[in-house]
Amino acid sequence: KDAQKEREPHVYLSKEEVKEKIQSYNSSVTDKLKMTLNANGIYTGFIKVQMELCRPITVHSSQSQGRCVPSNQETAFYLPDGCVNTLHISSTNTVREVIEALLKKFFVADNPAKFALYKRCHREDQVYTCKLSDREHPLYLRLVAGPKTETLSFVLREHETGEVMWEAFSIPELQNFLRILDKEENDQLQILKNRYAAYRGKLEEALRGVLKPG
């Protein structure tokens, strides 16, 4: 069940409350991805983001003496469904910054404005997927919910605007999409041709049997 945005009040925690929650959080962590509280009150930690993208993404091809560096070459492809990435962020990082960091980490060339971050919550045997605003802080949500992804998880999706925002795509991206569509169209056309060729062969064989003398 999807909801565009849950109206939940943001609870502002004192430094002592944050410290207690981090201690409780770290005591429940099973994957060693713990949080750290700094002297200035800012805390850091990890979030996992599941990629649920329907359209192909464009990435920089990268190779340079064993180091990954962006290049001018770009490739478009469909990301495997269910791919999960881990990010190390701070409590001050907003949703928009998390999206930008996630795309930068994997050299994704697409405009960050194409994407939105969602939180997926499990409550009373139901699943709610809610779009987060750009100003929210994912690590705070992770801290409050605890480390279990069954309780709260993050999902990256394209914006659900009802229509594709083609103006957000670059010319190379659009050209790559056209090439992908052309390939899919040709594949489907070949499948249809093969199917009808098989039908034609069977009909001609049947006709030869009916018209054969004797």
Side-chain angles (χ1 to χ4, degrees), residues 123-141:
R123 294 179 185 171
E124 299 176 354
D125 298 327
Q126 293 196 40
V127 180
Y128 299 86
T129 303
C130 314
K131 181 180 175 182
L132 298 173
S133 72
D134 286 349
R135 296 185 299 275
E136 292 192 76
H137 299 87
L139 194 61
Y140 167 81
L141 298 175

Side-chain angles (χ1 to χ4, degrees), residues 72-92:
N72 292 327
Q73 296 181 338
E74 296 180 349
T75 304
F77 65 93
Y78 285 97
L79 196 67
D81 189 31
C83 178
V84 177
N85 293 302
T86 302
L87 281 180
H88 185 252
I89 62 174
S90 81
S91 55
T92 62

